[in-house]
Amino acid sequence: MNFTKMHGLGNDFVVIDAINQAINLTAAQIRFIADRHFGVGCDQLLLVERPVSGNADFKYRIFNADGGEVAQCGNGARCFARFVRDKKLSDKDEITVDTDAGQLVLRFDDAGLITVNMGVPRHAPEQIPLLMPKEARLYRAEIDGGIFEFAAVSMGNPHAVIRVEDVRQAPVETVGAQLERHKLFPQRVNVGFMEVLSRREIHLRVYERGAAETLACGSGACAAVVAGIEQNLLDDKVGVNLPGGHLMIEWAGRGNPVFMSGPAESVYEGQIRI
Ligand SMILES: N[C@H](CCC[C@H](N)C(=O)O)C(=O)O
């Protein structure tokens, strides 16, 4: 099976053309491919397929390193766009793609960056999903003997966002890991730790559902900016500094889509016997 190894700010992917190859991977096979010692190694695996709706150019599917299929991946969407262009599967400047979270529109800009319309964020607990009786700006959970406040947003995948004074000191491995599988989140959750530098800049680290801490999380950057704007901490255009690099996120408020702009790189082509 042919694949391309790619990354978006160090959030890395194995990307597979499932249009010109017959692909039928089990969760165990995905875990093997994602394994950084016995396989290729990646945070997520992306399958590029034919569209399912009439007005889309492609469908793309996302699998975490633990083998679970999920509905949204911001860095993955940019790498998907770079992949279909590099493989000459499309020469469009604007690509519409079906995902399990709905349609995304991806656009190449002049600086070689890719802007993704990530869709309209969802806030209602049942849309996250989050087992809380009613929507709130901030929720509280007991974790590791302490009480932590968090915001909750769905970008098509679930996110919890915790504000911290200094991301370098954030309890990503402990609190991130415990909140990821907390009983409040029946489908688990991605956990962002956000340090607000100004109304137009944040630092962010993300403990991702199904992948642990990654160098960057595109949907997590969107969720953090949405949560910050909802708490009146941020303006409508924010620079997000992640360990792997920088994303620009724009959101004009409830009912509007979130736009994310950033890079996508190919690293190498490979073949794997599976
Ligand atoms: N771990 C995420 C999927 C990948 C998201 C992330 N890599 C991004 O760039 O948005 C989840 O389980 O919902």
Side-chain angles (χ1 to χ4, degrees), residues 175-204:
V175 173
Q178 291 181 58
L179 190 54
E180 188 238 4
R181 56 186 67 96
H182 197 283
K183 62 181 184 303
L184 286 172
F185 292 97
Q187 294 177 13
R188 298 185 294 157
V189 69
N190 299 283
V191 186
F193 295 82
M194 170 173 70
E195 176 185 344
V196 178
L197 298 176
S198 73
R199 292 188 64 84
R200 301 182 70 79
E201 188 177 10
I202 64 172
H203 288 323
L204 181 69

Side-chain angles (χ1 to χ4, degrees), residues 143-166:
I143 303 164
D144 224 10
I147 299 292
F148 286 84
E149 277 193 330
F150 62 90
V153 182
S154 172
M155 290 305 304
N157 59 345
H159 289 271
V161 182
I162 298 173
R163 187 179 179 190
V164 295
E165 287 306 311
D166 180 348

Side-chain angles (χ1 to χ4, degrees), residues 84-113:
V84 297
R85 172 162 284 194
D86 291 352
K87 295 291 181 186
K88 298 188 178 13
L89 294 172
S90 170
D91 60 1
K92 289 184 170 183
D93 284 331
E94 184 166 283
I95 297 169
T96 299
V97 58
D98 289 322
T99 77
D100 286 350
Q103 278 191 351
L104 301 180
V105 178
L106 306 98
R107 182 163 190 74
F108 290 88
D109 71 18
D110 301 339
L113 299 180

